[in-house]
Amino acid sequence: MGKNEFLTPKAIANRIKAKGLQKLRWYCQMCQKQCRDENGFKCHCMSESHQRQMEVFGQNPNRIVDGYSEEFESAFLEHMKRSHRFSRVAATVVYNEYIADRHHVHMNSTEWATLTDFVKYLGRTGKCKVEETEKGWFMTYIDRDSEALFKEKMKNKRARADMVDEEKQEREIRRQIERAEQLIPEGRERSSERDGEASGLLRTENGGKVVFALGGGGGTKGEGLKGEGSKVNKVFDDGVGERNEKKGANKFSDGNSVLDNLMREEERVKEVSNRKDYWLCEGIIVKVMSKVLADKGYYKKKGVVRKVIDRYVGEIEMIDTKHVLRVDQEELETVIPQIGGLVRIVNGAYRGSNARLLAVDTDKYCAKVEIEKGLYDGRVLPAVEYEDICKIGA
């Protein structure tokens, strides 16, 4: 068996050494050849095949470098889009993941000498949001696909339409409440007038008895009726008084029932209009329930929502590590504070209102809260589901 045969120990060892990722500085992009050490790279540079490639490169170097730069940039952004589309991540982490493929376009063949130059270029061109921190450069991918922009535009349009509808409903409900408040004092005045009229039949100015003459009968009948005047007067007094009391009570009860019905109708309309399939808002504390992030230590960890993207995705700043993640609301859970803590109503009729937690019903999975500030200040909601309230961050 010859020295360089396929199954010789030397050939097998060479294949094992060449299998993994080698030193990037000993890689020739023009020839797409990886050398294992400096001596091998020097020998390759002196080879005839490499010299021919260098002659091709010398004919139009700018075009070749621009081509490699464009290919490197597109592959890097594609990896960023697939792996870290909604996350703020360190640039070195993304780069190490990108170069794990040994057949990638190497940075030493592009117009950027260092990773920092490339990151700054992405920030200047608006392809990524970059920021320099004590721990290095961090990047956030900016999705500028035409489909994503169209969806964002349509979502904003629907949001504006929903806000207009909600304002119209609020104005209509307020007008109905004002009309009901005006009807209640009118009903009280009418009932008091009727009471006055009924009492006028009971007694005259000189304190005499009331006499009724029925028909055109004789004096005996009149005198008989006159003699029985006190009894008749008493009977009419009791009957009219009872009827007036019932009418007055009905007036008050009708006025109160109208107001109660309007309030119930208002809550029903607000529940329908404010009940959405999205609930994220800035400033609340949520719990990460994504098992995909369990290996990174974020599972069941709490964070503060710093920004809401497309209504359904939130930028979460973890309380323990201060890391910023982009997580969908399906993988998040609301947090219930201790009794007396502040919460925000994130869904339902009173969406967006701040309230204070009064009690928790663990059997029915609901809580009792009291709204603070705003139009409904002081209103107590006896049963609000856990999913509709969330703890407010400090």
Side-chain angles (χ1 to χ4, degrees), residues 1-20 36:
M1 186 178 291
K3 180 179 179 181
N4 295 324
E5 291 294 332
F6 182 75
L7 294 178
T8 58
K10 184 66 175 178
I12 295 174
N14 290 338
R15 287 197 299 273
I16 292 174
K17 291 177 183 179
K19 186 176 182 180
R36 286 199 298 272

Side-chain angles (χ1 to χ4, degrees), residues 115-305:
L115 179 61
T116 301
D117 295 338
F118 179 63
V119 172
K120 291 180 179 179
Y121 162 79
L122 294 178
R124 287 195 307 270
T125 55
K127 297 176 181 178
C128 287
K129 178 183 176 182
V130 299
E131 53 183 325
E132 186 178 10
T133 64
E134 297 177 354
K135 297 182 179 180
W137 287 91
F138 281 80
M139 308 170 58
T140 305
Y141 180 74
I142 299 176
D143 193 354
R144 296 190 179 276
D145 294 344
S146 58
E147 184 178 356
L149 292 175
F150 177 75
K151 289 182 179 179
E152 179 67 19
K153 183 177 179 181
M154 294 302 296
K155 286 181 179 179
N156 294 335
K157 186 176 180 180
R158 287 195 296 269
R160 289 194 295 270
D162 293 342
M163 291 177 64
V164 171
D165 293 340
E166 290 176 4
E167 291 177 358
K168 290 181 180 178
Q169 292 175 356
E170 287 284 347
R171 289 196 296 268
E172 182 64 25
I173 290 171
R174 288 176 184 173
R175 284 198 294 267
Q176 292 178 0
I177 293 175
E178 291 175 359
R179 287 199 298 268
E181 291 176 350
Q182 293 174 0
L183 290 175
I184 292 175
E186 291 179 2
R188 293 177 179 174
E189 291 176 0
R190 291 177 183 175
S191 62
S192 61
E193 291 175 0
R194 292 182 180 179
D195 291 340
E197 293 174 359
S199 61
L201 294 174
L202 299 178
R203 185 174 298 171
T204 59
E205 294 180 357
N206 54 8
K209 297 181 180 180
V210 178
V211 178
F212 289 93
L214 301 178
T220 56
K221 294 182 180 179
E223 291 177 357
L225 289 173
K226 185 175 180 180
E228 298 294 331
S230 60
K231 296 181 180 179
V232 175
N233 189 9
K234 187 175 180 181
V235 171
F236 275 91
D237 183 12
D238 296 339
V240 173
E242 290 178 358
R243 286 196 298 271
N244 286 333
E245 290 178 358
K246 291 180 180 179
K247 288 182 179 179
N250 290 334
K251 282 290 181 181
F252 289 122
S253 62
D254 291 343
N256 293 333
S257 64
V258 169
L259 184 58
D260 292 341
N261 291 335
L262 285 175
M263 292 177 64
R264 284 194 294 269
E265 180 66 17
E266 174 195 0
E267 292 188 359
R268 189 187 66 81
V269 173
K270 288 177 66 65
E271 175 70 22
V272 173
S273 62
N274 291 337
R275 175 67 61 177
K276 309 292 184 182
D277 59 346
Y278 55 91
W279 54 269
L280 281 179
C281 60
E282 297 180 2
I284 61 175
I285 298 178
V286 295
K287 183 184 294 185
V288 178
M289 303 301 294
S290 174
K291 295 185 178 179
V292 178
L293 300 174
D295 56 346
K296 298 182 180 180
Y298 298 124
Y299 183 62
K300 289 190 176 181
K301 297 295 183 180
K302 297 178 182 178
V304 182
V305 179

Side-chain angles (χ1 to χ4, degrees), residues 7-64:
L7 294 178
T8 58
K10 184 66 175 178
I12 295 174
N14 290 338
R15 287 197 299 273
I16 292 174
K17 291 177 183 179
K19 186 176 182 180
L21 186 65
Q22 306 294 318
K23 291 283 186 180
L24 300 182
R25 60 181 176 176
W26 296 331
Y27 183 85
C28 178
Q29 186 67 55
M30 289 295 296
C31 303
Q32 296 183 359
K33 180 176 177 59
Q34 175 69 61
C35 300
R36 286 199 298 272
D37 51 22
E38 186 177 0
N39 185 41
F41 186 72
K42 185 184 296 185
C43 293
H44 169 71
C45 292
M46 296 172 61
S47 64
E48 183 179 355
S49 60
H50 179 77
Q51 296 297 329
R52 286 197 300 267
Q53 292 292 337
M54 288 295 100
E55 290 178 1
V56 174
F57 177 79
Q59 294 176 1
N60 195 346
N62 294 330
R63 183 178 64 85
I64 295 177

